[in-house]
Amino acid sequence: MGIARRDEVGQRSETVRRANLSAIVRELHLSGPLTRSELVAHTGLTRSAIRGLIGELVSADIVSEEKAEPLGLPGRPSPVVKPNPTATAVLALDILVDSSAAALVGLGGVVMEQVRVDRPRGHFGVDEVIAELAELADTVRKRRPDTDPLIGVGVAVVGMVRRADGFVSMAPNLGWRDVALAERLAEVLGTTAPISIANEADLGALAELRRGVSVSAGDVLFISGEVGVGGGLIVGGEALTGSSGYGGEIGHMPINPAGLSCRCGSVGCWETEVGEEALLRRAGRPPGGGRQAVDDLLRDAAAGMPVALLALEEEGQWLGRGLAGLVNVFNPRQIVLGGLIGRIYPFVAELLERELDRLALPGSRDLVRIVPASLGVDAALLGAAELAFEPLLNDPGAWIGPRRAAALLGAGA
């Protein structure tokens, strides 16, 4: 075995330091305030290592440290380490079919400001939506000027996104094709922070994994539907998005050869059988009614009206059929239903279980559990915030030097 050169040892030492900083910041971000002793237990680092690394993070204003309340036990109480949300914040944006939103979210998942605006459903030009996002972003940032500079910007969009450069190749329910969204947003947001963009269902899955119903589950299939149907897959705690980020478009699985034309240009896609328009059509109601029309239908179903109940039964059969296929392919531990699909879940829960019993492979079927999502319409927005935090969580060391320098410059001024 060869002897490592001194420069190689130094590089390895720096790599270990950065990895340890990442472990601490990620744990605080996901778990909230922890004592030094708890950080030792959660990360496996030594007390002396924790002490030194926390000092670096405090000096960069990424975390703060406070004395713990005495508990009447022998020994000195371990100091409490807290994420610093005001000084370490991101801007989150989402573009849904019928609304847009912006939020300022601090380290630890603290939502400090948030605003959402609804809009009529239909195709909206890219310029119009970007102008709307810029206005929303300006609104939340003016409310909290103490959050500048931003760590990053995360964006959720109902479309197929190439994650490498934030290019939206297709968003059928918005009427978009080939939109350089990250580039366009960088021009109007007035920030030098990195901009990360991903599909809204992928980010809904991430949010439920970190902040919602899937915190204890490592293999999750998240399905969200309104006008369309999208999916996000978490395997071993990591997102499975495909080679370019286009994975998860489960709403466009061809499931019915004799079905209807889809907005994507294909025929018989899953979302033509389980989306909002399919549900309203089966109940004999006009399309395009949005959430209010669905609420009315669900109210009728709760009152026992046969037409509404039959519409939900047929919707549930197609939903269960698609879920069984996905269970056979991906073998998830948990299926999380969001959006429209989460709202109809109480009416179709037993039917879904029966369809999985009938069509899913026994081994995978025995493992999987179906649950409704917990974060509602804001799941994708919160996931966008988590996406924007990733550069910091992966390598806090890259931020420490510049932030120390900025603090010294501010003190000198």
Side-chain angles (χ1 to χ4, degrees), residues 2-12:
I3 299 174
R5 301 196 313 268
R6 288 185 178 181
D7 59 340
E8 289 177 338
V9 173
Q11 289 170 9
R12 291 176 189 170

Side-chain angles (χ1 to χ4, degrees), residues 90-91 93 102-104 112-115 133-148 150 188-190:
V90 300
L91 173 67
L93 304 171
L104 279 174
M112 296 179 288
E113 296 291 342
Q114 180 178 339
V115 60
L133 288 177
E135 184 175 343
L136 295 176
D138 190 54
T139 297
V140 296
R141 293 183 70 185
K142 282 182 176 177
R143 291 177 185 172
R144 295 297 296 262
D146 54 341
T147 57
D148 279 339
L150 297 170
V188 301
L189 290 180

Side-chain angles (χ1 to χ4, degrees), residues 221 223 250 253 270 321-332:
L221 174 62
I223 300 174
I250 58 176
M253 293 188 302
W270 195 29
R321 197 169 301 170
L323 289 180
L326 293 168
V327 166
N328 290 344
V329 173
F330 293 115
N331 184 210

Side-chain angles (χ1 to χ4, degrees), residues 250-257 259-275 318:
I250 58 176
H252 298 288
M253 293 188 302
I255 198 170
N256 184 0
L260 300 175
S261 297
C262 181
R263 290 179 179 85
C264 73
S266 187
V267 173
C269 291
W270 195 29
E271 72 176 43
T272 66
E273 299 293 348
V274 300
W318 281 106

Side-chain angles (χ1 to χ4, degrees), residues 268-286:
C269 291
W270 195 29
E271 72 176 43
T272 66
E273 299 293 348
V274 300
E276 179 186 290
E277 288 190 9
L279 178 60
L280 295 176
R281 182 182 70 246
R282 291 184 177 114
R285 306 186 184 206

Side-chain angles (χ1 to χ4, degrees), residues 101-170:
L104 279 174
V105 182
L107 190 66
V110 179
V111 179
M112 296 179 288
E113 296 291 342
Q114 180 178 339
V115 60
R116 180 176 295 279
V117 294
D118 293 330
R119 60 172 178 270
R121 291 184 176 176
H123 292 180
F124 284 82
V126 178
D127 291 342
E128 184 178 357
V129 173
I130 287 177
E132 182 176 74
L133 288 177
E135 184 175 343
L136 295 176
D138 190 54
T139 297
V140 296
R141 293 183 70 185
K142 282 182 176 177
R143 291 177 185 172
R144 295 297 296 262
D146 54 341
T147 57
D148 279 339
L150 297 170
I151 291 292
V153 179
V155 186
V157 59
V158 284
M160 297 178 64
V161 183
R162 189 169 65 204
R163 287 201 180 196
D165 58 0
F167 182 85
V168 180
S169 66
M170 181 173 63

Side-chain angles (χ1 to χ4, degrees), residues 364-382:
S364 297
R365 171 65 187 106
D366 291 344
L367 177 70
V368 71
R369 297 293 177 267
I370 304 174
V371 297
S374 63
L375 299 177
V377 70
D378 293 324
L381 184 66
L382 298 176

Side-chain angles (χ1 to χ4, degrees), residues 324-382:
L326 293 168
V327 166
N328 290 344
V329 173
F330 293 115
N331 184 210
R333 180 175 294 276
Q334 186 183 73
I335 297 173
V336 181
L337 304 180
L340 165 73
I341 297 172
R343 291 160 67 205
I344 71 171
Y345 174 69
F347 297 91
V348 300
E350 291 184 10
L351 179 57
L352 295 185
E353 298 292 344
R354 288 201 303 269
E355 287 296 285
L356 288 186
D357 289 342
R358 186 172 71 90
L359 298 172
L361 295 171
S364 297
R365 171 65 187 106
D366 291 344
L367 177 70
V368 71
R369 297 293 177 267
I370 304 174
V371 297
S374 63
L375 299 177
V377 70
D378 293 324
L381 184 66
L382 298 176

